[in-house]
Amino acid sequence: MKTKYSIVFICIVALVIIEKESNIISRVSDKIIQRHAPTLDPHSPLDNSNTTQNGPLSLLKMLLSKLPGAKGNYSNFSDEQEDDELDDLGAYNSSRGRKHVLLLARTRTGSSFVGEIFNQHGENMFYLYEPLWHVARMLSLGEEANNGTALSRIYRDVLRGLFLCDFNPLEKFISPPPEERVTAALFRRESSLSLCEDQVCSPFVKDVYEKYRCKIRRCGPLNLTLASESCLSKQHHAIKTVRVRHLESLQPLVEDPRLDVRLIQLVRDPRAILASRMAAFSTYEMWKAWAQDGQVPEDDEEVKKLKGNCDQIRMSAEVGLSQPHWLRKRYMLVRYEDIALYPMQKAEDMYRFAGIPFSPQARDWILRNTQTTQEEGDEYSTRKKSSEHAEKWRFSIPFTLVQVVQRVCEPYMKMFGYRIVDDEKTLINKSMSLLEDRLFH
Ligand SMILES: *[C@@H]1O[C@H](CO)[C@@H](O)[C@H](O)[C@H]1NC(C)=O
Ligand SMILES: *[C@@H]1O[C@H](CO)[C@@H](O)[C@H](O)[C@H]1NC(C)=O
Ligand SMILES: *[C@@H]1O[C@H](CO)[C@@H](O)[C@H](O)[C@H]1NC(C)=O
Ligand SMILES: *[C@@H]1O[C@H](CO)[C@@H](O)[C@H](O)[C@H]1NC(C)=O
Ligand SMILES: *[C@@H]1O[C@H](CO)[C@@H](O)[C@H](O)[C@H]1NC(C)=O
Ligand SMILES: *[C@@H]1O[C@H](CO)[C@@H](O)[C@H](O)[C@H]1NC(C)=O
Ligand SMILES: *[C@@H]1O[C@H](CO)[C@@H](O)[C@H](O)[C@H]1NC(C)=O
């Protein structure tokens, strides 16, 4: 009996304390839930509850119902609400509302176009196009870099530096080395609107730096101190890269309390990627030869590489979609084909996910660049009549190669909703969509 009374007593004391400290409790409970029930969203129900009205009991009930083993219906908490609430989290507020968008893609997946959607945001965005290019280039010259884990760490550290506006980690990989922090060799500087603004555009020197001029104007070599200052003055940062291989390798970056990172993984139909690479890269000559032979050696390194890429991308997406604790609400999967079909809507979705207001400039850019025809001869051009362009590959890739891709990338295609075709007729029949409706949450 005594024990019973003391339990009741303890409960009463606890409730009184909870009543007073309900704020703290709700914060602590977040942590408990996060630790014990990683498949549930820790924030929405508690943050939504009106604790004054509901009282500590319902708070406790809610807390208990969320612990492992409890059954409940949590399907009704909308993502939109949760996105807003993320900004109120204490653990992540040292970025002062600054958002860091990392666009993860592969070559020929439409990443230039999607990156541009962020680049065009306007004066509050600092965007970098493929800064890891420098790392990859320098390390493939040296011997030490063949370690996947070590390489991932370098990529991560360079990205972290750039998100914090620190160009030092990147600077070590720029070749030739910058002199007095000034370089004419920053890869695709002209793809970054913020690196072509007045503050960072030094006077152009004729001929010498012709190659590195900005699209909108001519600028001299880049002063990295100025680039860093420009970066610091921008509210939001975005980086596009095709070089990160394993989503898990980004965990320390995502958990860095100085950053508020949002990852957008972009995928595309692997048959389209192959078709596009065959058109753009000379290293894909072999595929063309195989297509003519009608014979593809399945154990060839190239085919294995294709399979490896498909598996890697799929496994990263599996990690992201499984919503591990460190990635909750920080991961979004986007299919290029959906962006091509609904560019405005998808752009809005991505901005909403990123927590960045969609700007009139970005809207204008999308309107202009999804309705004009493609500029011929510019392989990297993001100007395209997007929906039509996204399907062109169906008429350029030999069916033999389609069959190979379908064989080695089947799990990838199933996961992302790319329809397998059994014959060439279907492949080139435009009224047959190869895209299954999918929502990725
Ligand atoms: C909590 O609920 C009470 C009663 O319904 C209401 O008056 C109050 O405005 C609510 N507070 C918040 C923060 O929603
Ligand atoms: C959960 O709630 C949703 C929306 O209210 C409803 O459609 C669904 O059937 C419920 N599921 C369960 C298991 O109660
Ligand atoms: C789910 O949300 C809708 C709209 O907000 C609401 O009308 C409905 O009652 C909710 N269902 C549950 C089970 O909470
Ligand atoms: C978050 O913001 C609150 C209030 O603005 C502040 O007290 C707290 O120290 C901040 N947390 C971090 C980690 O910066
Ligand atoms: C690769 O990196 C990991 C972790 O940094 C290390 O444990 C391992 O020894 C490295 N392997 C080689 C061959 O350098
Ligand atoms: C680069 O910019 C900084 C900041 O304005 C300036 O102090 C420095 O002299 C510049 N470097 C060169 C080589 O012009
Ligand atoms: C293309 O597919 C549609 C829809 O299945 C079908 O009706 C049509 O006959 C097909 N066209 C050709 C040329 O096979």
Side-chain angles (χ1 to χ4, degrees):
M1 282 303 267
K2 262 185 188 170
T3 7
K4 230 180 198 173
Y5 282 123
S6 45
I7 287 171
V8 169
F9 178 68
I10 287 168
C11 281
I12 291 168
V13 171
L15 288 180
V16 170
I17 294 171
I18 287 166
E19 180 85 72
K20 281 188 181 160
E21 309 285 331
S22 61
N23 266 340
I24 292 172
I25 287 289
S26 89
R27 243 179 271 149
V28 170
S29 62
D30 272 8
K31 290 227 172 82
I32 294 170
I33 292 162
Q34 268 177 334
R35 202 173 312 135
H36 294 286
T39 51
L40 303 173
D41 188 277
H43 304 295
S44 54
L46 289 168
D47 288 359
N48 270 347
S49 65
N50 181 337
T51 47
T52 326
Q53 181 200 15
N54 292 345
L57 258 179
S58 52
L59 183 70
L60 254 190
K61 266 188 210 156
M62 205 183 277
L63 179 55
L64 288 173
S65 73
K66 310 233 77 175
L67 287 172
K71 290 198 181 96
N73 187 345
Y74 309 109
S75 62
N76 209 22
F77 300 114
S78 94
D79 285 347
E80 252 172 68
Q81 281 170 323
E82 286 161 9
D83 278 348
D84 290 338
E85 282 157 13
L86 198 62
D87 299 339
D88 300 332
L89 300 181
Y92 290 104
N93 67 356
S94 58
S95 74
R96 291 172 211 283
R98 178 167 279 166
K99 300 291 187 284
H100 306 86
V101 180
L102 187 59
L103 176 61
L104 303 166
R106 297 298 177 96
T107 53
R108 316 312 291 182
T109 55
S111 62
S112 300
F113 182 80
V114 180
E116 202 63 13
I117 291 176
F118 285 100
N119 187 32
Q120 295 288 336
H121 174 260
E123 57 194 22
N124 283 326
M125 175 62 75
F126 188 84
Y127 171 74
L128 291 173
Y129 180 107
E130 208 52 60
L132 299 181
W133 179 89
H134 292 285
V135 182
R137 194 182 59 154
M138 181 161 288
L139 293 189
S140 66
L141 299 175
E143 306 251 321
E144 78 258 67
N146 252 344
N147 188 330
T149 314
L151 187 60
S152 298
R153 205 161 79 221
I154 295 170
Y155 282 158
R156 189 173 67 222
D157 291 345
V158 169
L159 290 172
R160 187 200 313 262
L162 293 172
F163 272 146
L164 292 167
C165 301
D166 176 4
F167 279 76
N168 287 316
L170 176 66
E171 203 175 329
K172 295 188 206 105
F173 295 98
I174 298 178
S175 170
E179 285 173 35
E180 294 180 64
R181 307 214 70 212
V182 172
T183 178
L186 187 78
F187 182 62
R188 305 266 304 186
R189 177 238 183 123
E190 73 279 7
S191 294
S192 172
L193 283 180
S194 43
L195 292 182
C196 292
E197 288 177 337
D198 285 346
Q199 308 93 287
V200 283
C201 184
S202 57
F204 174 71
V205 186
K206 186 140 178 43
D207 293 333
V208 184
Y209 302 110
E210 188 85 38
K211 217 173 123 198
Y212 301 101
R213 68 179 188 270
C214 286
K215 274 178 192 153
I216 42 173
R217 63 200 310 184
R218 294 179 156 197
C219 295
L222 180 67
N223 179 334
L224 291 173
T225 309
L226 294 179
S228 171
E229 282 168 9
S230 161
C231 173
L232 284 168
S233 74
K234 308 286 181 185
Q235 176 71 8
H236 303 302
H237 302 158
I239 298 176
K240 178 219 104 148
T241 182
V242 296
R243 295 197 153 73
V244 172
R245 290 289 172 265
H246 304 283
L247 199 67
E248 308 90 291
S249 71
L250 296 173
Q251 180 169 356
L253 185 74
V254 174
E255 288 179 334
D256 190 315
R258 295 166 296 179
L259 302 175
D260 188 352
V261 177
R262 312 285 161 105
L263 306 177
I264 299 180
Q265 186 180 359
L266 180 67
V267 298
R268 188 183 182 188
D269 190 320
R271 297 165 296 196
I273 297 175
L274 179 61
S276 176
R277 287 181 179 173
M278 283 169 63
F281 301 147
S282 55
T283 47
Y284 278 72
E285 288 299 329
M286 208 172 325
W287 289 90
K288 286 180 199 162
W290 290 334
Q292 295 212 313
D293 286 0
Q295 284 281 322
V296 182
E298 298 265 324
D299 56 350
D300 190 274
E301 276 308 307
E302 284 295 309
V303 181
K304 284 185 189 152
K305 223 183 332 178
L306 172 69
K307 178 173 166 44
N309 279 334
C310 279
D311 289 343
Q312 248 174 16
I313 296 168
R314 178 177 49 82
M315 286 188 290
S316 276
E318 275 167 4
V319 170
L321 294 174
S322 73
Q323 302 198 10
H325 164 211
W326 62 277
L327 262 185
R328 179 139 314 122
K329 299 297 160 201
R330 298 185 176 279
Y331 173 85
M332 180 185 196
L333 181 80
V334 188
R335 293 188 302 191
Y336 176 63
E337 291 80 2
D338 290 323
I339 297 176
L341 280 169
Y342 312 105
M344 197 62 78
Q345 187 194 322
K346 285 290 154 186
E348 281 173 11
D349 286 353
M350 287 188 287
Y351 268 91
R352 192 181 311 118
F353 160 76
I356 301 173
F358 193 47
S359 67
Q361 295 98 306
R363 183 185 304 277
D364 284 352
W365 183 86
I366 291 166
L367 279 178
R368 274 184 278 119
N369 288 279
T370 51
Q371 290 173 351
T372 59
T373 49
Q374 192 198 6
E375 269 179 15
E376 292 302 325
D378 182 359
E379 271 302 334
Y380 283 98
S381 174
T382 48
R383 280 167 189 269
K384 54 194 62 168
K385 198 172 178 182
S386 62
S387 52
E388 217 171 85
H389 187 77
E391 294 250 86
K392 263 189 178 168
W393 65 270
R394 293 174 66 172
F395 303 91
S396 74
I397 190 172
F399 186 65
T400 334
L401 300 190
V402 166
Q403 286 175 303
V404 176
V405 178
Q406 293 184 161
R407 209 151 37 230
V408 303
C409 294
E410 193 182 351
Y412 174 112
M413 295 179 68
K414 288 219 165 111
M415 174 167 186
F416 299 124
Y418 296 117
R419 201 163 275 146
I420 308 266
V421 295
D422 297 325
D423 50 52
E424 186 160 14
K425 250 193 209 145
T426 317
L427 177 68
I428 59 173
N429 184 346
K430 267 196 160 173
S431 52
M432 303 278 286
S433 169
L434 299 188
L435 198 63
E436 288 161 10
D437 283 338
R438 284 289 159 87
L439 282 177
F440 301 100
H441 289 304

